[in-house]
Amino acid sequence: IEKMQGLERKLHPAAKYAGNPVLKGEHRWEDIAVQTRTPPQWVPEEKVWKTWYVASERPWAGEPGAGYMGYAFSSDGIHWEKPMLGVYNYHGSKQNNLIGNTTLENVVYDAHELEASRRYKGLAGTAGRVPVVSADGIHWKETGAPKFKSSDEAFMTYDETSGQYL
């Protein structure tokens, strides 16, 4: 910007959205918690936000409680849809939005990736992270890269300057 004239800087105070939380537990597999470990990813080709989250349930049917990975999308980042994916067998039914029961974190949508099957990247597991990739953000496969040590938290991001995942 070479020159500015007649402009005034005005910072507006942040206001909490009255409809929070925007991603709510509404299914049996989410009755304890809905927890995000990945910021929503904007997918420009589809004009949607996508997110992956940990869904936790209370014990039932004589089994211990469990955690799963849920998937949701939104056109505005406020109103989220949880499509019935037909991918994961949850207590005898695939009518759910679950993609599995392995923790999937730090999903990054890579619009610059030339290989469509690697457009989404993430880290799977908790006591050792495994690099995984996906064409659609729903069906994931390991990359063959070695697992790296990690415990409770791990973070991955893309550095545009160096062209590397950190």
Side-chain angles (χ1 to χ4, degrees):
I1 299 172
E2 186 175 310
K3 185 177 181 181
M4 290 192 292
Q5 194 172 3
L7 295 178
E8 176 183 333
R9 175 181 279 195
K10 182 171 184 167
L11 298 177
H12 299 277
K16 196 171 209 177
Y17 176 63
N20 280 337
V22 294
L23 190 61
K24 300 174 175 87
E26 57 188 300
H27 299 293
R28 175 69 182 95
W29 52 88
E30 306 167 323
D31 69 353
I32 289 181
V34 169
Q35 181 186 44
T36 59
R37 297 282 182 115
T38 295
Q41 299 291 301
W42 176 250
V43 181
E45 298 85 359
E46 298 177 43
K47 294 185 175 29
V48 296
W49 291 96
K50 293 184 178 184
T51 197
W52 298 261
Y53 64 94
V54 177
S56 302
E57 69 175 356
R58 286 180 172 72
W60 68 288
E63 296 180 21
Y68 307 94
M69 287 311 301
Y71 165 83
F73 70 92
S74 171
S75 61
D76 62 8
I78 295 173
H79 303 94
W80 290 87
E81 295 181 45
K82 298 174 184 175
M84 297 296 113
L85 300 172
V87 172
Y88 183 76
N89 187 345
Y90 173 80
H91 295 282
S93 173
K94 289 188 176 183
Q95 289 301 304
N96 57 63
N97 68 316
L98 303 175
I99 60 172
N101 64 350
T102 299
T103 301
L104 175 67
E105 299 182 0
N106 309 114
V107 175
V108 174
Y109 176 74
D110 184 353
H112 304 294
E113 174 63 60
L114 298 177
E115 192 176 326
S117 66
R118 300 174 63 87
R119 193 62 46 89
Y120 296 84
K121 297 164 175 58
L123 302 174
T126 53
R129 307 287 185 206
V130 177
V132 292
V133 292
S134 173
D136 59 8
I138 297 168
H139 302 89
W140 294 85
K141 65 180 182 180
E142 294 184 15
T143 64
K147 181 188 290 191
F148 58 91
K149 290 182 180 182
S150 177
S151 188
D152 187 40
E153 298 290 335
F155 300 95
M156 180 177 74
T157 189
Y158 180 71
D159 178 21
E160 296 265 347
T161 305
S162 68
Q164 296 182 32
Y165 286 89
L166 311 171

